[in-house]
Amino acid sequence: MSGGVGAATGGDQAGGLGAATGTEEFFDAISGTEIFSEEISAGGVATGTDALAKAAGLRVDLDVVGMTCASCVRRVERALGEVPGVAGATVNLATEKAGVTLETPVEPEALLDAVRAAGYEAALPVAGRSVAQEAAERRARRLAELHRRRVQLGVAAMLSAAVLGLAYGAPDARWSGVAQLALALPVFAWVGAIFHRGALRAARHGSATMDTLVSLGSTVAFAYSAVAVAVLPGRMTFFDVSVLVVTLIAVGKYLELSARGRAGEAIEALAGLQPSVAHLLRRAGAPRDAIADEPWDVAAEELRAGDVVLVRPGERLPADGVVVAGRSGVDEAMVTGEPLPLEKGEDDEVTGGTVNGSGALTVRLTRTGEATVLAGIVRLVERAQTEKAPAERLADRVSAVFVPAILVVALLTFAGWMLTGHGFVAAMIPAVAVLVVACPCALGLATPAAVMVAGGRGAELGLLVRGGEALERIHALRTIVLDKTGTLTVGRPVVVDVQPLDGADPAAALRLAAAVETASEHPLARAVVEAASGPFPPAHAVRSDPGGGVRGVVEGREVAVGSPRWLGVDVADDPRHTQVVVAVDGVPALLLSVADPLRPGARDAVRQLERLGLRPVLATGDRNATAAAVAAAVGIEEVHAQLSPTAKAELVVRLRERDGAVAMVGDGVNDAPALATADVGIALGGGTGAAMAAADITLVHGDVAAVADAIALSRATLRVIRQNLAWAFGYNLVLVPLAIVDVIPPALAALAMALSSVTVVVNALRLRRFRRSPRP
């Protein structure tokens, strides 16, 4: 039906119903950088030195090692921001990554040198590594670090117990002080080295961090005690304070590192889905018939687009591609969140990392390595984790002055106790407690830990949230605007009713009509073909009449398929459907009603949004009657039809002025302006790259019912962020004054500080239990 028959069934996508409604556009969007609006013009992400040196307007990722608290984050961001050509930088303590936005070309060494000058190590991501390799390396580094710290903590625990036994069991023995010094020295110097090195590094650069507080507190207690043993016999020593401060805070850092590892397990699980080996049948560029009798195994990172591979039953697909032979169910749950396997056959797209079912598939690869949908999802989630919410920026600003302020408070505490007639030791104890109890770590981890866990859990469910900024806007939402075509509806025409005319055989007439339409790519033609049962006989002398329909000869019979007006057939008008008449040998045989049906679960999705306190509004470029029918079917009262892309964006502005914050859900090219204008843009993964580039949330599997899940997850994440920040601020506000008045001794202060960081990470881990709403 190349000429088209009647009106299109939907006007929400550029190019009518021929616009992409499958996964192709989604793959393109997330495998490149379209998904990030700030990178669209640049067209890429620099991951190697050559690309970085030439980059302008790009966001560049760096790995940063050595950060321990929010003060470190602030210092690295400031150092990167001062590099000429850098527009801005955000640093994530939980993931130890920095995202740098460039406005003019910058040499890579300039960025790395800036981080090193601030006292930390930095490196560019290695180009060419697969997401699976990166995940494996991250996991190996974390496990090695955890092992090293376990060994240290085992030694520290035994030595600290011995020091405590001597300090309280034999305090007056002449040899007790020397023995405590010998036992405490390895704990202070070896286990505490991580804090001392960090403090010295910060001091060399004229700043102070959490390491400064821990190192200074333990050093004061250890140094005084060592001097007392050497030249002040009989004086009280505080080796127990020194070792407990180091040991307890080291335990806290170990638990924090372990919890942060669990927070990132979902991302690592996704990244590790790619198999390490693929069964190659034909290399790209080889003749089409050059298929090997037996496949040979190659490393997955060696695969290239165009290669043909064999995927055996039960194996994971090594990359994205198209099935060229075979049929099987494919489990896509880890990528899309869908629980049931999807049947895949010839010409169907498949995604790398998904699990093949019981049949063998021959697949021609279309995307490999960093271009795959799986790599794009991991990259998007990791990138989102470095984008900061306003609450986190507040924490960063507080942290910038927090440690210097605590140093001043500790000094004033010491001076105050001395001035009130107390001795040196009596004044030193509360001052050390102030240094030890203050915890900028909890402030630095409060937001990134929650975003990290939520990002991983969302990725498991096919919900990709861009970052912290969107989280805070989601909390304020009052209205949600829903596009029609491709959002509430499936986005393509389907034959929904077949009426025989003049006693014709409907199956035979439909088969003849499909035979004429097989050569056409028109959406209505494809709907006719899908409604019939093939195979179809060949059609001859096929010719189209633009705006009317198509004619041809099938099995010696003249078949015409087109609009009722074109064929001169008088039928009652139905604004909900596009009507198509099939005539055989000049006699009307069938009346087909074609419509864009509702997505499964669309009505339930609207109910879920209403339960979340949101007012749903339907906005579409389609006709009023069609829009009203769809709105009535899903239960939406407010409808705006026949809107241009600009008018949709203007509607968002008007609704914001009337009701407050507005979300927009869409999938088409012409939804992009409204998605960008809305407070929160939500794009369906089956839609266009332009829509997803403008959105704050992308639903990988295109399930409109997941819109409520995305909003619920975002709200839960924001609640956890606020709980963490309240704990982090409240902890310091309460415990620092108690340390000043000597209510909390240094040992208890060390325990409290250790637990504070662990608390915010463990609280964030609760988001891993988030469940999507039940489907009808």
Side-chain angles (χ1 to χ4, degrees), residues 552-584:
V553 177
V554 182
E555 297 180 336
R557 310 185 72 178
E558 184 174 324
V559 181
V561 186
S563 67
R565 185 179 60 181
W566 181 63
L567 290 173
V569 179
D570 186 19
V571 297
D573 184 52
D574 185 349
R576 300 171 301 170
H577 303 137
T578 295
Q579 295 175 312
V580 178
V581 172
V582 178
V584 180

Side-chain angles (χ1 to χ4, degrees), residues 92-156:
N92 188 305
L93 176 62
T95 60
E96 295 186 311
K97 287 185 177 293
V100 185
T101 303
L102 307 179
E103 57 186 5
T104 59
V106 175
E107 291 293 334
E109 284 303 319
L111 298 176
L112 301 180
D113 288 345
V115 177
R116 292 172 188 141
Y120 305 91
E121 291 300 317
L124 289 166
V126 179
R129 284 190 306 178
S130 68
V131 291
Q133 289 174 309
E134 291 183 354
E137 290 173 9
R138 279 198 301 268
R139 181 175 177 80
R141 286 197 302 268
R142 189 178 73 250
L143 292 177
E145 179 65 13
L146 286 171
H147 175 74
R148 186 183 68 82
R149 293 197 183 194
R150 275 197 302 271
V151 172
Q152 286 187 325
L153 288 176
V155 174

